[in-house]
Amino acid sequence: MFALRPGAGGAGPAGTRLPSTELRTRGMSERAGYDPIAIEEKWQKAWAERGTNLLSDEDLRDAERPFYMLMMYPYPSAEGLHVGNMYAFTGADIFGRYRRLNGFDVFEPIGFDAFGIHSENYALKVDVHPMELIPRNVANFTRQLKRIGGMYDWNHTVDTTDPGYYKWTQWIFLKLHEAGLAERKEAPVNWCPSCMTVLANEQVIAGACERCATPVEQRFIAQWFFRITEYTERLLENLSWIDWSESTKKAQENWIGRSEGAEIRFPIARSRASHDRHEPATVHAAAPLISVFTTRPDTIFGATYMVLAPEHPLVEEVTTEDRRDAVAAYRREVAGTDLVSRKKADKEKSGIFTGAYAVNPATGEEIPIWIADYVLMEYGTGAIMAVPGHDERDFEFATAFGLPIVRVVAREGEDADTPLSEAYPGHGTLVNSGAFDGAASEEGQRSITAWLAEKNLAEARVNYRLHDWCISRQRYWGPPIPIIYCDACGTVPVPEEDLPVELPHVDDYKPDESGVSPLARAASWYRVACPECGGEARRETDVSDTFLDSAWYFLRYPSAHRDDVPFDAELTEKWLPVSTYIGGEEHAVLHLLYSRFVTMALHDAGYLGFEEPYRVFRKHALITKDGAKMSKSRGNTVVPDKYIERWGADTFRTYLMFLGPFQIGGDFRDEGIQGPYGFLSRLWDTIQGELRGGHPDSEVERRLHATIRKVTEDVAGLRYNTAIAAMMEYLNAVRAGNRAVARTEVEPLVPLIAPFAPHLAEEAWELLGHEGGIFDSDGSTAGFDTVEGGVWPTFDPEKAKEDSVEFVVQVNGKVRARVELPRGVGEHAALTAALADENVGRWAGEGEVRK
RNA sequence: GCCGGGGUGGCGGAACGGUAGACGCGGGGGACUUAAAAUCCCUUGGGCUUCGGCCCGUGCGAGUUCAAGUCUCGCCCCCGGCACCA
C-alpha cells in the first residue's frame, strides 16, 4: 500500500527529497532543507512546555472572546485513529486555529466515548477486560492526537467511563426521570439464541445474527425509555432556524417523519356470521371501535378490508371462535420472525382472516378484518384501513388473498369503472365515493374528514415516525441505570448523593441467555437496601445506551474539573451553546437528535439557559480510497501513522484538506501527498531565502492581497482545498523567475498557512525573528496589517485589484479576441478597442461582453 | 420507493450565468549530474491547421439567454441515509 522507492529500504518518501537525519542533527541554524520531523518534535515539545493550548479554569472564566470549537469525540478503538478520524479532526482543528489567529479565545477540547458495545465486543474478542483495554486505547489515541498537532486542551478532557463523568450521566437520567421523561415499558428486541444477547437492528443481517448467522428471535423485555416524543414538535420546529448543514437538518426532519392525515374509527360488526357487503350492517351500540391512522382519508370509500398488526390488543377480542387456532398460529409465527426481516418491503405478504367484520363508516358496508405483519404496531395505531386500489402494499395483499379492489380516484381519461391493474397512489378526481364523487381528492382529504368528524368517527391528526428512545442495554460496559426496585416501595430512583452507581469490576461480563445484563449475576452488587424503606431491594442491572453518554459531553468539557456539579453555571453561560460543531453526518439522527433532546429537557428543568446545544453545525465529508468507502472488509483502510512518520503531520494535514472540499469529499491517493509536501518544502525554502533579502514587486503585492482575501474567505467557509490552492498559486508567483524574494511578500503567508501546517508556521515565525508563538501573537510585531487582536493578515481591496484588465471579447458567446486595457476604462472605450481588433471585425456581429 | 450529495482531462478536483479544466498528481520533453534520485524549466482535453487560427468538448435530451458546467423542464447513472411508516 505504501509506495516505497524501490530499494530505498524505507529511507524516505517516494520520489522526493528526504528529510535527512544528517540535516536534522545539524540543526536549523543554517540554511537547511525542510525537515518536518525535527520541526514538529520541537514545537510539540514547546507547546507542551509552554502550555500553549491549555486553558486554566481562570482562563475559561476570564476569556473575553470565547469561541467553543467542538468536534465529535472518538470512540477509542484498539486499531487507533484511522484516517477518517484524522480528516475530521484536522478539518475542525484548522477552523479552531483560524479563529484563534483571529484573536478569539478558542476552547478546543477532546475526549473519549469509551463506553459501549463496540468496545465491549472487542474486549470479548481479544479476551482482555475492558477496564484494562480501554485505558490502553485511550493512551494510544492521545499519542496520535498529539502527533497530528491538534490544538487540544488536554487540561479539559472527558472520558465517559470515568465515574467522575458517568456520575453525571446518571444524574441526567434522574433529572429526566424527575421530569416524567423516563418510563419503563415492555418492548420487542432482537434476540440471538446462540450468542445469548440482544442485538441492535444493525447487527441483524437477513434475519440472522451478524456474528453467528443464527436466526434471530423477537423477545419482549421491560426497558427504560426516554420520552423524546414529547419534544417532537419542538425538535422539528427549531430546525427552521438553527444554523446547521442543510442535509443534516433534512435527515432529522425525515427521521422525525411528520405526516398529516386523520384518525378514523371503524365500528366492529360482530353479529354477522357470513359476509355480504351489500346488506346493511348491524352494529352494536357499544361495539368496540378500531382506530386507524391514514394520510389518505379521501380514499375511505375504497377501504375494502382492515388489517390489524399481529400484536394489536384487539386481535383476541375480535377473532371468531372458528378462527382462533389459525390466528394464534399466525401470531406465533410472526413473533418468531426478527424485526428486521419482517420489515423488509419486498417480503411476500402474509396474513390471516380473523373471521370478524368492521363497518366502513363511509359506505356503511361490512369489510373483513385481517391481521398481517405488514402492519406494524409501532406506527400509527397499529391498524389500517386497506385501500387496495390506491396503496401498493394493500394492492399486493388484496391480490394475494382475493380481496375486492375498488377504484375511488380517477385521473384524466379514467372513470369509476376503469379497471386498476396496479395501485394508483396519486391524486385525481374522486369516484365511487357517494356524495363526494367529482371532487378533487386533495379536497376530499379535508371534506371527508370533516364529514366523518361530524359523526364523531374521525378527526384530523398528525402522526410521527419518531419513537421514544430506548436507553436500556442488557450489557456490561456502560453506566448502570440509577434505579432501585423495592417490593415495598416500587421503583425508586437512586438518591443524588449516592451517585455514582459505580460499575463493578466483574470478571465474567459476557452476556448470557437470560436476556438481562451480566450485572444481574453480581448479587453482591445489585443487592442493596431500599433508599426509602431500608428494606431489601435490587438495583436495576441494565446499563444505559452509549448515546446517553454523548448526549451531554459538550456540557461537561468546560466544567471537567468540577465534581460538585455536572456543569458550572457561569462557565456554561459563557461558553455555550457550542460556537461551531463539526462532525460526520452518520450521527445526524441519533447523537445530534438525542443531544438536542437532552439539552431541551435540561433547559425545561431549569438547568440551562438555552434549548439548542450548537450555534453552528457543519457536517464533514467522508474520504474514500480508490473511489470506495474505506472499510476493513474492503481492505482499503489507510493507517495514518506511517504517512505522518514519512512526511510529517503538517504535510499530512495539508494533504487531507487538499483532497477535495471538506464538506463534500475526496479520494485518498498515496502519490497525491507529493504535492502538498513539495509546496511546504518550497515555502520553507522561500522563507529561508527571504532572510537574504529581496525587493518587493508590485504585481506580487497585488497578488498577495488577493490571496489573503481568497484564503480568508475560503477558510471561513471550510473550503480548505481552494484556500490551499490559492496559497500554492501565490507561492508560485512569488518564486517565478527565481527572483530574490522580499520579506513583506512571504511573512503574511506564515499565519495563512498556520492552521494547516502549525509546526512549520511556528518555526518560520521564529525564524523571522518573532518571539512567543504565532498562535499567541496579537499581531503587534507583524510586518503587515492584521486583524484586531490576532495575527491573521488583512487585505486592502484596492491593492488586490489589477491595474490592467484583460477584456475577453465574445461575439455571440464565442471568444474571439482578448484585449488588454487599463482598469477603469469606460464602456465606450472598451467597445472601440474591441471593435478595432481585426478578429472581432472578421466575426462582425454585435453584443460583445466584457469581463 | 423517499430524502440528501454527486456526474467536468489519464486521476483528485477548479470555475460571481461571461476565457471550461485553477491547484495538485500522473505523463512527455529538456537542464543539472559519470549515473540515478532530488531540484529547476517547458509541455500535457480531443480533432484539424496554410501555424494566423478553426471546429468539438462538463452524464443524456429539450428549453431560456448575446452567452449555460452553472438557470428551467424531462431522463440516465453513481455514492450516502431512510424505508411494508399506512
Side-chain angles (χ1 to χ4, degrees):
Chain A
M1 55 169 303
F2 204 92
L4 280 177
R5 183 156 41 96
T16 37
R17 182 164 52 171
L18 310 179
S20 82
T21 334
E22 189 196 333
L23 286 172
R24 210 179 308 160
T25 49
R26 213 170 55 193
M28 277 154 288
S29 50
E30 57 192 282
R31 186 166 178 194
Y34 174 45
D35 183 356
I37 307 301
I39 292 175
E40 289 170 14
E41 228 173 74
K42 170 182 168 182
W43 284 99
Q44 286 176 8
K45 204 161 148 246
W47 290 334
E49 279 165 7
R50 296 180 188 174
T52 303
N53 302 324
L54 304 182
L55 299 180
S56 66
D57 288 351
E58 290 68 40
D59 291 335
L60 285 177
R61 198 168 45 243
D62 301 338
E64 282 172 16
R65 299 178 67 192
F67 187 87
Y68 188 169
M69 179 69 231
L70 183 69
M71 57 201 78
M72 288 182 178
Y73 67 169
Y75 115 79
S77 71
E79 291 84 20
L81 283 172
H82 54 82
V83 76
N85 297 130
M86 293 276 189
Y87 180 73
F89 294 152
T90 300
D93 185 59
I94 285 167
F95 197 71
R97 287 184 180 275
Y98 162 71
R99 300 302 282 206
R100 181 158 170 180
L101 292 163
N102 275 273
F104 286 86
D105 297 310
V106 176
F107 178 46
E108 187 179 299
I110 190 105
F112 301 98
D113 187 20
F115 265 142
I117 292 184
H118 280 288
S119 303
E120 185 179 324
N121 284 351
Y122 188 79
L124 284 166
K125 191 173 136 196
V126 300
D127 197 26
V128 178
H129 196 281
M131 283 187 181
E132 290 168 45
L133 188 66
I134 292 301
R136 270 191 235 165
N137 293 350
V138 165
N140 186 38
F141 265 59
T142 305
R143 178 190 61 77
Q144 287 182 296
L145 287 165
K146 289 183 174 169
R147 185 61 192 89
I148 53 164
M151 195 176 68
Y152 307 116
D153 179 0
W154 292 103
N155 194 25
H156 290 88
T157 185
V158 141
D159 175 344
T160 55
T161 65
D162 177 355
Y165 180 84
Y166 69 72
K167 169 183 180 178
W168 301 113
T169 307
Q170 292 169 337
W171 177 87
I172 285 172
F173 177 92
L174 294 180
K175 291 302 153 191
L176 267 62
H177 187 264
E178 234 169 66
L181 291 170
E183 65 171 337
R184 197 161 180 255
K185 62 185 182 193
E186 290 224 327
V189 292
N190 298 301
W191 177 260
C192 171
S194 164
C195 299
M196 297 181 294
T197 185
V198 166
L199 301 176
N201 285 348
E202 296 76 24
Q203 297 172 301
V204 180
I205 311 295
C209 172
E210 67 168 354
R211 281 190 295 182
C212 65
T214 311
V216 170
E217 299 168 0
Q218 194 183 143
R219 278 200 182 185
F220 279 79
I221 293 179
Q223 312 191 71
W224 281 97
F225 286 82
F226 280 156
R227 301 174 62 173
I228 189 171
T229 52
E230 296 279 303
Y231 284 79
T232 313
E233 272 301 335
R234 241 157 108 193
L235 289 166
L236 193 60
E237 193 116 312
N238 288 5
L239 291 177
S240 65
W241 60 265
I242 56 179
D243 183 3
W244 285 26
S245 292
E246 277 310 312
S247 58
T248 312
K249 291 208 275 189
K250 201 75 194 167
Q252 288 212 350
E253 191 185 317
N254 290 156
W255 185 260
I256 292 169
R258 183 181 202 273
S259 23
E260 287 185 18
E263 186 167 321
I264 304 177
R265 288 174 287 279
F266 286 63
I268 298 170
R270 270 196 285 198
S271 60
R272 301 184 63 88
S274 66
H275 175 52
D276 179 351
R277 290 186 74 231
H278 300 290
E279 273 180 40
T282 316
V283 180
H284 285 229
L289 301 166
I290 298 175
S291 284
V292 302
F293 172 74
T294 178
T295 53
R296 293 296 301 273
D298 52 304
T299 64
I300 190 169
F301 285 86
T304 56
Y305 67 101
M306 296 189 78
V307 186
L308 303 180
E311 304 86 357
H312 197 285
L314 282 175
V315 172
E316 282 195 38
E317 194 180 334
V318 160
T319 305
T320 56
E321 201 55 51
D322 56 315
R323 304 293 302 160
R324 225 146 252 180
D325 291 347
V327 166
Y330 180 70
R331 294 177 90 188
R332 272 197 305 276
E333 187 193 316
V334 172
T337 312
D338 70 285
L339 296 168
V340 174
S341 47
R342 170 173 165 186
K343 291 185 191 173
K344 277 259 185 303
D346 53 3
K347 203 188 97 180
E348 234 176 71
K349 292 281 179 291
S350 75
I352 194 159
F353 178 43
T354 61
Y357 292 84
V359 177
N360 181 327
T363 62
E365 286 171 359
E366 288 197 9
I367 56 175
I369 303 169
W370 286 64
I371 62 175
D373 69 350
Y374 81 95
V375 174
L376 309 173
M377 195 59 223
E378 69 216 47
Y379 186 78
T381 62
I384 61 159
M385 65 174 206
V387 184
H390 304 281
D391 180 279
E392 283 164 31
R393 296 150 304 176
D394 297 344
F395 185 90
E396 194 191 328
F397 190 83
T399 307
F401 292 96
L403 293 159
I405 298 169
V406 175
R407 174 189 284 279
V408 290
V409 179
R411 277 169 289 190
E412 283 285 321
E414 293 174 338
D415 62 30
D417 300 322
T418 311
L420 283 150
S421 59
E422 57 178 3
Y424 169 62
H427 279 286
T429 306
L430 293 177
V431 295
N432 292 324
S433 298
F436 296 93
D437 278 354
S441 57
E442 287 99 328
E443 166 56 18
Q445 309 232 44
R446 197 199 53 76
S447 55
I448 292 181
T449 305
W451 172 61
L452 292 170
E454 256 170 55
K455 300 197 269 183
N456 199 27
L457 285 170
E459 55 270 341
R461 188 182 135 177
V462 175
N463 201 57
Y464 300 93
R465 214 184 68 99
L466 183 69
H467 291 122
D468 281 334
W469 171 19
C470 177
I471 59 142
S472 293
R473 294 292 179 272
Q474 295 74 33
R475 300 291 293 236
Y476 169 69
W477 194 233
I481 294 173
I483 287 286
I484 291 168
Y485 302 105
C486 169
D487 286 342
C489 310
T491 301
V492 182
V494 171
E496 265 181 55
E497 58 271 22
D498 293 348
L499 296 181
V501 177
E502 282 206 42
L503 179 69
H505 187 296
V506 302
D507 289 328
D508 176 20
Y509 59 92
K510 281 188 183 62
D512 68 13
E513 84 293 335
S514 61
V516 293
S517 161
L519 290 174
R521 296 192 297 263
S524 61
W525 176 79
Y526 70 69
R527 282 203 192 116
V528 67
C530 170
E532 282 184 9
C533 70
E536 265 188 42
R538 187 190 164 97
R539 290 191 187 281
E540 165 68 65
T541 52
D542 282 353
V543 300
S544 60
D545 184 4
T546 326
F547 280 108
L548 182 57
D549 303 327
S550 57
W552 76 284
Y553 76 111
F554 53 92
L555 295 171
R556 183 63 181 168
Y557 278 134
S559 309
H561 299 146
R562 294 292 297 270
D563 54 13
D564 53 335
V565 288
F567 37 84
D568 176 89
E570 194 190 332
L571 289 177
T572 302
E573 166 76 27
K574 179 161 220 152
W575 289 92
L576 285 128
V578 166
S579 311
T580 293
Y581 193 17
I582 289 182
E585 206 169 21
E586 67 273 19
H587 291 116
V589 292
L590 295 178
H591 163 60
L592 287 170
L593 194 65
Y594 294 151
S595 56
R596 291 182 62 210
F597 160 67
V598 166
T599 302
M600 281 180 194
L602 290 174
H603 167 266
D604 290 356
Y607 292 99
L608 293 174
F610 50 89
E611 62 173 43
E612 287 289 342
Y614 320 113
R615 284 183 215 278
V616 173
F617 172 78
R618 293 289 177 266
K619 65 146 188 197
H620 62 72
L622 299 174
I623 48 172
T624 55
K625 181 78 208 285
D626 305 320
K629 191 176 161 180
M630 289 187 201
S631 73
K632 260 182 278 177
S633 56
R634 277 199 189 86
N636 65 347
T637 53
V638 172
V639 179
D641 297 40
K642 291 181 188 174
Y643 293 85
I644 295 171
E645 277 166 37
R646 302 260 188 241
W647 306 91
D650 285 341
T651 293
F652 194 63
R653 290 164 63 101
T654 307
Y655 174 53
L656 287 178
M657 296 303 111
F658 187 60
L659 285 175
F662 185 56
Q663 299 189 78
I664 295 176
D667 197 63
F668 190 98
R669 276 173 70 244
D670 283 359
E671 311 86 64
I673 200 167
Q674 209 74 243
Y677 181 78
F679 164 59
L680 294 182
S681 300
R682 283 189 293 278
L683 176 60
W684 176 254
D685 240 41
T686 310
I687 290 162
Q688 298 265 355
E690 183 282 319
L691 297 176
R692 289 172 310 176
H695 293 290
D697 174 272
S698 68
E699 170 59 12
V700 170
E701 188 192 16
R702 197 218 104 227
R703 296 185 76 136
L704 171 65
H705 284 267
T707 301
I708 294 170
R709 175 169 61 198
K710 172 83 175 149
V711 173
T712 303
E713 287 168 0
D714 283 356
V715 171
L718 308 181
R719 292 182 298 272
Y720 299 142
N721 56 331
T722 47
I724 295 166
M727 287 186 273
M728 288 174 165
E729 247 178 295
Y730 174 67
L731 187 66
N732 290 344
V734 167
R735 291 166 58 92
N738 204 20
R739 56 187 278 273
V741 174
R743 179 187 178 101
T744 54
E745 293 168 348
V746 292
E747 193 178 2
L749 206 44
V750 177
L752 291 183
I753 195 65
F756 299 90
H759 313 84
L760 171 75
E762 287 278 28
E763 182 68 17
W765 195 242
E766 187 179 79
L767 208 65
L768 290 168
H770 301 286
E771 283 179 26
I774 188 169
F775 293 97
D776 285 322
S777 169
D778 61 4
S780 56
T781 64
F784 47 89
D785 293 334
T786 70
V787 298
E788 184 72 27
V791 72
W792 192 261
T794 52
F795 62 91
D796 180 343
E798 279 309 305
K799 287 185 182 164
K801 286 183 187 164
E802 295 180 54
D803 291 334
S804 65
V805 183
E806 185 182 60
F807 282 76
V808 173
V809 184
Q810 295 185 350
V811 181
N812 291 326
K814 287 191 185 290
V815 180
R816 293 303 179 193
R818 288 150 206 215
V819 188
E820 191 90 357
L821 295 170
R823 186 153 61 86
V825 293
E827 188 171 341
H828 181 76
L831 254 167
T832 310
L835 287 168
D837 187 283
E838 56 170 302
N839 214 16
V840 174
R842 185 141 69 91
W843 289 98
E846 55 204 58
E848 80 275 18
V849 184
R850 63 213 189 89
K851 180 175 189 238

